[in-house]
Amino acid sequence: MGMGDDGPSGWPGSDWIEDLLLQREGPEVYERWVRGQLPWDSEEVQGAWQAWGNLLTPGDKGLAKRALITDHRGPTDGNGLLFGKDACMLEHQGSFAPFFYSENSDKDVDFTDSAELLPGGPYRVKAHEVTGDFAALFSDSGRARNLLRELASESRQRDWADSAGVFSANNKVRPGDGGVEHEIADRLTSKDTARCLDASDVMLPAVRDAFYEAILLTLTRYSEGEGPGSIKGILENVDKVQEAQAKNSVIQSEVCSTPQQPPL
């Protein structure tokens, strides 16, 4: 587990909380939380936070402190957390993770749905958490429309997916090889479960930043031996930020939905 990044350190921990709340409580509760309609110190959110904290305490091995100073990508010029000096067997990561392991690696990696392995589980897969890159058109310029049309075309999306190790929303752009990439693509396009946007991507910026800070503060408290007793106070502080922001802003975007049928 590594919280470090070049910019918003702490987001790998927010992914844990989001996934735990989603699999434990389901999309409806998750969406209420993202929209600010479920308090951060509620039983549901505290339960997810506590389950994550339980990973940090067994054997008092300094796991929280190690997570604070570890980069989520693993060692410099390495191949992700799995193949670092302190190699682990599993990491909780998004679909971009294979990009870390595809180059200069002579070891096999695989993936499975996290719901079966999350602390307090196994849970039934209730939804999949996703994120994406969005483009917005701010004028009716023909040149701007042509640019977006070109960027969204099958050929340009294929170039982007192949070079950046990502998955395209264009249904015609599928991974070229079998294996892990095809399994991930099947999850992304399956009609069996809802897709919910990454919570911190949708939250108001100040709330998102408070979320990341709460993750790092939790790890700090755990590394100092305070542990579970500190969680409620940390979450109450995030609530104060959310209440202050909600006076002027309302989240309008849809959070959870099922995939659309691909075009014929």
Side-chain angles (χ1 to χ4, degrees), residues 27-246:
E28 291 184 4
V29 171
Y30 178 89
E31 187 158 7
R32 286 176 53 216
W33 171 58
V34 175
R35 291 183 177 278
Q37 298 164 344
L38 181 69
W40 285 76
D41 64 348
S42 66
E43 181 180 344
E44 295 91 341
V45 179
Q46 283 200 65
W49 215 282
Q50 179 68 63
W52 179 61
N54 289 342
L55 289 173
L56 308 171
T57 55
D60 191 24
K61 299 177 182 178
L63 300 180
K65 183 177 181 179
R66 187 184 307 170
L68 275 170
I69 62 176
T70 300
D71 193 294
H72 81 279
R73 293 159 294 196
T76 304
D77 299 325
N79 292 294
L81 290 177
L82 297 182
F83 305 147
K85 181 177 66 174
D86 299 317
C88 55
M89 295 177 63
L90 295 167
E91 66 168 320
H92 182 265
Q93 198 52 276
S95 61
F96 57 82
F99 192 63
F100 296 152
Y101 298 100
S102 60
E103 298 179 1
N104 305 319
S105 173
D106 58 356
K107 300 182 181 181
D108 293 330
V109 293
D110 203 350
F111 93 106
T112 189
D113 288 315
S114 60
E116 300 178 0
L117 301 169
L118 290 171
Y123 304 102
R124 176 178 61 84
V125 179
K126 296 181 179 178
H128 286 96
E129 185 184 349
V130 298
T131 189
D133 294 307
F134 295 86
L137 187 67
F138 293 102
S139 73
D140 200 26
S141 162
R143 294 176 67 184
R145 289 183 177 277
N146 288 338
L147 174 61
L148 280 183
R149 190 175 294 111
E150 177 70 12
L151 292 174
S153 68
E154 180 180 354
S155 61
R156 293 292 178 258
Q157 286 288 295
R158 190 174 303 282
D159 290 343
W160 179 58
D162 290 344
S163 62
V166 296
F167 296 85
S168 173
N170 188 321
N171 289 295
K172 296 180 181 179
V173 180
R174 300 283 291 182
D177 299 323
V180 169
E181 284 76 15
H182 266 276
E183 291 189 50
I184 293 173
D186 288 342
R187 298 293 202 287
L188 293 174
T189 56
S190 169
K191 309 300 184 297
D192 296 337
T193 55
R195 305 291 176 276
C196 295
L197 289 173
D198 181 290
S200 60
D201 286 351
V202 183
M203 290 172 177
L204 301 171
V207 179
R208 175 201 62 210
D209 293 345
F211 189 6
Y212 295 161
E213 183 177 1
I215 290 292
L216 299 177
L217 186 56
T218 299
L219 289 167
T220 301
R221 297 282 176 81
Y222 269 73
S223 68
E224 294 173 349
E226 293 186 37
S230 62
I231 289 177
K232 183 174 176 60
I234 292 173
L235 297 182
E236 287 175 344
N237 286 333
V238 183
D239 257 330
K240 292 177 182 177
V241 175
Q242 181 162 271
E243 289 169 4
Q245 294 297 307

